[in-house]
Amino acid sequence: MAKLKTTFFCQNCGTQYSKWQGQCTACKEWNTITEEVIQKPEKSDWKTPTNVTKRTSKPLLINEIDTSKEARLNTEDGEFNRVLGGGLVPGSLTLLGGEPGIGKSTLLLQISLKLPYKTLYVSGEESQKQIKMRAERIDSSANHCYILTETKTQNIFKQIETLEPDIVVIDSIQTLHSDYIESSSGSISQIKECTTELIKFAKETATPVILIGHITKDGHIAGPKILEHMVDTVLQFEGDRNHVFRILRANKNRFGSTNELGIYEMQGSGLREVSNPSELLISQKDEDLSGNAIAATLEGMRPLMIEVQALVSTAVYGTPQRSATGFNAKRLNMLLAVLEKRAGFRLGAKDVFLNITGGITVDDPAIDLAVIAAILSSNEDVALQKDFCFAAEIGLSGEVRPVQRVEQRILEAEKLGFSTIFVSKYNKISLKNTAIKIQLISKIEDVVDLII
């Protein structure tokens, strides 16, 4: 047996020290350095199967490297495939993080049940009966998914060698422990060792492995930052518990774009894929109401139509209130100042409340024009036409500025049946013969004349 030794790790960033100290010099956090007993293994716990041939790597001219596209495994989930870039890559390691109770285990169990490949779902947090109860609620027709309740990596690899699954799901990496490390589960050294063993297994057998990771109170994935560097793909599953929508986005992806995102709706029978989120984010109403405007925004590479609601009323307590939900409050103050200075609207003595429907938060500056339109509509108590939408940024001098990928926004608005979209005249638009009218404007005074 190799000699045991102790070392010190920062529990926040994973930096290693030879002795204890009060402050981590890497992340500047106090009292995060703890002592852990470690032991390097004399030999790897994962042995390469006899049917896998290992080849020695040799240098190749860049022109000689084969760039033929590697076949991906279809997960039978359109939103998950979209975020991954087309499916699971053989031999890849994917890390999925998110808040407790947001639906990480439900999402991966649901995908495991739908997969046409032999899948091993390893859980260190729930018993087989608990998983079975959840699986019956989601899908009772699965016949390719195997459930294993185990936390010791050596036992997991024995079962993998016997079963030979096509895909392995680990729930979660913080619950695993290896006999080669003498520290507790979830510690820095255990997470690094267990992840290293899984990477070795995935690369040598070309088996995709999906890990679930806990997150800290700051929203970062728990464990050392090196964990995110070791894996191929880092996915973030986020949403508001008070709303049914969940968003899956990629923070890192070695095999695809990080600009894609998937949208799900939480239901009693699991997570439902939302292929057209614009229809859900726009409320369906029969009567015309003032203060509502539709904005064409982008989430990653995906165009969305969202509803902006504004309420302008006389300040009761003397000091006007400025409140924004799902929108930057400082940017709202800036737009109100532009309206007062450039368009002559006296809003300094009025309360202004702004809300982005659906419980989502939007940082896209292209919704500035929709915010202006909603505020003007509420202030004048005049309803905007239901088939109007907006996509432009507002500058401090009152000019309507162009936004990126405006043609995608126009096509999405046309697909959803809008008749007119207001954009900046400085946008370069090459679309011809569109069913939607493209209204070009240069300053906010033009907006006032057209919508009020």
Side-chain angles (χ1 to χ4, degrees), residues 14-43:
T15 306
Q16 184 175 350
Y17 296 92
S18 59
K19 62 181 180 179
W20 185 88
Q21 58 191 53
Q23 185 187 32
C24 175
T25 56
C27 65
K28 307 302 180 184
E29 292 289 330
W30 288 89
N31 299 324
T32 58
I33 298 176
T34 58
E35 183 179 15
E36 293 182 11
V37 180
I38 65 170
Q39 173 192 352
K40 292 296 180 183
E42 295 178 350
K43 59 181 181 179

Side-chain angles (χ1 to χ4, degrees), residues 222-279:
K225 194 68 178 176
I226 193 173
L227 175 62
E228 297 181 43
H229 292 289
M230 293 167 74
V231 301
D232 298 308
T233 306
V234 179
L235 304 180
Q236 191 77 17
F237 201 45
E238 56 195 41
D240 189 343
R241 292 190 184 184
N242 298 320
H243 294 82
V244 296
F245 298 112
R246 302 287 187 269
I247 294 178
L248 180 70
R249 61 177 86 240
N251 295 336
K252 169 190 175 183
N253 192 355
R254 287 176 178 160
F255 310 112
S257 170
T258 57
N259 293 325
E260 292 289 357
L261 83 160
I263 299 179
Y264 294 88
E265 181 183 7
M266 179 64 81
Q267 297 180 339
S269 58
L271 291 159
R272 184 182 73 86
E273 301 173 47
V274 179
S275 57
N276 189 5
S278 300
E279 294 181 352

Side-chain angles (χ1 to χ4, degrees), residues 271-303:
L271 291 159
R272 184 182 73 86
E273 301 173 47
V274 179
S275 57
N276 189 5
S278 300
E279 294 181 352
L280 296 175
L281 296 174
I282 299 175
S283 58
Q284 305 297 324
K285 51 187 180 296
D286 297 327
E287 63 277 5
D288 293 331
L289 300 174
S290 63
N292 291 341
I294 307 298
T297 183
L298 287 173
E299 275 286 345
M301 297 291 292
R302 196 171 189 177

Side-chain angles (χ1 to χ4, degrees), residues 289-294 308-313 332 334-348 350-354 367-385 388 390 394 398 400 422 441 443-452:
L289 300 174
S290 63
N292 291 341
I294 307 298
V308 180
Q309 295 180 330
L311 175 62
V312 180
S313 61
L332 172 62
M334 183 203 78
L335 295 175
L336 292 174
V338 171
L339 268 178
E340 185 148 352
K341 178 75 174 179
R342 304 298 177 186
F345 287 91
R346 302 302 173 195
L347 301 172
K350 295 186 177 181
D351 293 336
V352 179
F353 303 93
L354 190 74
I367 73 169
D368 286 355
L369 189 56
V371 171
I372 291 283
I375 292 172
L376 293 178
S377 170
S378 179
N379 185 59
E380 301 296 322
D381 200 19
V382 175
L384 302 176
Q385 292 191 35
F388 280 7
F390 305 86
I394 302 297
V400 179
F422 293 80
I441 49 179
K443 52 186 185 298
I444 59 172
E445 292 90 327
D446 301 339
V447 183
V448 177
D449 296 336
L450 289 170
I451 67 176
I452 302 299

Side-chain angles (χ1 to χ4, degrees), residues 9-299:
F9 289 99
C10 172
Q11 298 298 310
N12 185 54
C13 66
T15 306
Q16 184 175 350
Y17 296 92
S18 59
K19 62 181 180 179
W20 185 88
Q21 58 191 53
Q23 185 187 32
C24 175
T25 56
C27 65
K28 307 302 180 184
E29 292 289 330
W30 288 89
N31 299 324
T32 58
I33 298 176
T34 58
E35 183 179 15
E36 293 182 11
V37 180
I38 65 170
Q39 173 192 352
K40 292 296 180 183
E42 295 178 350
K43 59 181 181 179
S44 172
D45 63 317
W46 172 253
K47 297 179 180 179
T48 306
T50 55
N51 57 348
V52 176
T53 304
K54 294 185 67 176
R55 293 181 298 175
T56 304
S57 179
K58 64 178 182 178
L60 290 174
L61 275 174
I62 191 167
N63 295 330
E64 296 176 356
I65 298 174
D66 183 16
T67 57
S68 58
K69 190 174 181 180
E70 191 169 10
R72 294 177 181 247
L73 301 178
N74 183 11
T75 64
E76 303 295 328
D77 187 305
E79 299 298 300
F80 200 72
N81 284 342
R82 179 204 302 272
V83 177
L84 289 175
L88 285 170
V89 175
S92 65
L93 212 73
T94 302
L95 176 64
L96 174 65
E99 291 184 3
I102 204 68
K104 304 183 298 295
S105 300
T106 302
L107 174 64
L108 290 188
L109 179 60
Q110 181 174 306
I111 291 174
S112 300
L113 295 173
K114 291 194 296 185
L115 282 169
Y117 312 101
K118 187 189 293 185
T119 306
L120 178 62
Y121 186 96
V122 182
S123 177
E125 300 179 342
E126 296 178 287
S127 67
Q128 291 176 321
K129 291 183 179 179
Q130 288 175 309
I131 298 173
K132 171 67 173 176
M133 290 168 61
R134 183 143 43 92
E136 287 180 342
R137 192 179 74 246
I138 297 172
D139 183 9
S140 59
S141 61
N143 54 5
H144 295 284
C145 183
Y146 294 81
I147 306 297
L148 173 65
T149 303
E150 182 60 67
T151 58
K152 188 175 174 181
T153 56
Q154 283 72 30
N155 294 342
I156 292 172
F157 286 129
K158 287 179 183 176
Q159 298 300 327
I160 288 175
E161 198 169 3
T162 303
L163 187 63
E164 296 183 354
D166 298 317
I167 297 174
V168 176
V169 179
I170 305 291
D171 181 12
S172 64
I173 185 62
Q174 276 82 11
T175 62
L176 298 189
H177 71 276
S178 172
D179 283 344
Y180 298 121
I181 301 292
E182 296 294 332
S183 57
S184 60
S185 300
S187 62
I188 299 291
S189 51
Q190 281 287 5
I191 291 175
K192 289 170 65 177
E193 178 65 26
C194 294
T195 305
T196 302
E197 293 174 8
L198 289 167
I199 288 175
K200 189 167 191 250
F201 157 73
K203 302 304 179 186
E204 290 183 356
T205 63
T207 304
V209 178
I210 306 176
L211 310 176
I212 291 180
H214 299 165
I215 66 168
T216 63
K217 61 182 180 181
D218 299 326
H220 304 296
I221 295 178
K225 194 68 178 176
I226 193 173
L227 175 62
E228 297 181 43
H229 292 289
M230 293 167 74
V231 301
D232 298 308
T233 306
V234 179
L235 304 180
Q236 191 77 17
F237 201 45
E238 56 195 41
D240 189 343
R241 292 190 184 184
N242 298 320
H243 294 82
V244 296
F245 298 112
R246 302 287 187 269
I247 294 178
L248 180 70
R249 61 177 86 240
N251 295 336
K252 169 190 175 183
N253 192 355
R254 287 176 178 160
F255 310 112
S257 170
T258 57
N259 293 325
E260 292 289 357
L261 83 160
I263 299 179
Y264 294 88
E265 181 183 7
M266 179 64 81
Q267 297 180 339
S269 58
L271 291 159
R272 184 182 73 86
E273 301 173 47
V274 179
S275 57
N276 189 5
S278 300
E279 294 181 352
L280 296 175
L281 296 174
I282 299 175
S283 58
Q284 305 297 324
K285 51 187 180 296
D286 297 327
E287 63 277 5
D288 293 331
L289 300 174
S290 63
N292 291 341
I294 307 298
T297 183
L298 287 173
E299 275 286 345

